[in-house]
Amino acid sequence: MSKPRAAKRAKSYKSPESDDDDETTVNNRLVNLDLGEKSNTPKVIANALLSLLPSNATKQHASAKKLTKAFQLVTAELEARSNKAARQQIEVGASQPIKFSFVEEDSGEITSTIEVPEDSFVNILRYLDGRELAKASCVCKVWLSVTRLPIVWEDGLDMSSLNYNKVLNMTGLLKLLQRPQFANVKAFAFPKKVKIGDNTMKQLAKALPHLEALDLSDSKAKDQHVMAAIENFPSLNALRIDTWFSLTSSGITSAVQMMGEQLLDLRIDAILSYVSQSTMEAIVTHCPNLEYFAYRNNGYSYYPNSDDVTGESVVALVRACRRLHTVELYKTYVHSGGLGKS
């Protein structure tokens, strides 16, 4: 860093109080600091707080550590207040009936009102996805209380598009999943751009102990991550994966062999690589209870000669999996079996 730039930076963080300001003046400045005043910008507030410290204090200074700890306590208190307010709103909403009023278009007067049983309203909400449920919770306190019921989220929690702008990391994701309404989630789509680590699946299993279906497409999952998911989710019977990054056909084969008869739903998005013949043979051999099989080519280009999914393997799959009711082949060419394009 050049000297002029360093001097400019030091000047911008210089405490507005002179060295001979006494403690009373500093305390009065903080007490009278109006956070609602537009002129009190974050920088002004920061300078006011820095004036509590000695002029030569760094992050390692005892007073600076106290100030940093105070920020953590303030954040925790604000979060506790938010949680308390949310609980109060949910309690108020839970004590009120679920009503729908019909309004006369011309006069604006309420012509009739009907009450809906909670279980009926819950069944309606279960048709909504996560984004729609979040919007529904903002309608009123009654709707908020119902959207916080675990049964509403039980069928699935799709976070695949939640993190498009990298607003969530693994720590934030786990904290989010610890909310009571997600206690019984059975299907989960992993958010994009959240990095999967060695202990991710173990941590997810603690947050989602009842998970049955896992969508790892667009998650950059590797072979070992898929295997870790199978090991840590004992009720897992549905899997959606892709070959975009480091997931290989041999990894899919190992996953299929490990899940065996428990696998009911397998959906593969082929992007940079294709499913091998050995993988199809493993599915036919080890997954007799398979009910849904999807193989989609979502890449920019397709090379039929490199794709080992043949007409014979698809026919063998249908014959071996007697419960199979859906075979989805998208933008692929099943060759050597007379099935043609799908």
Side-chain angles (χ1 to χ4, degrees), residues 6 68 111 283-284 311:
T68 304
T111 57
I283 298 173
V284 170

Side-chain angles (χ1 to χ4, degrees), residues 8 28 31 71 79 82 94-95 97-98 109 115-116 118 131 164 177 212 223 227-228 244 282 289-290 318 324:
K8 184 177 180 181
N28 288 337
V31 171
F71 284 138
E79 187 172 351
S82 298
S95 64
I98 303 170
E109 296 181 357
E115 291 190 11
V116 179
E118 183 179 278
R131 288 181 179 274
Y164 188 78
L177 294 178
E212 297 178 1
D223 292 351
M227 298 302 291
W244 178 256
N289 297 325
L290 194 67
V318 173
L324 191 66

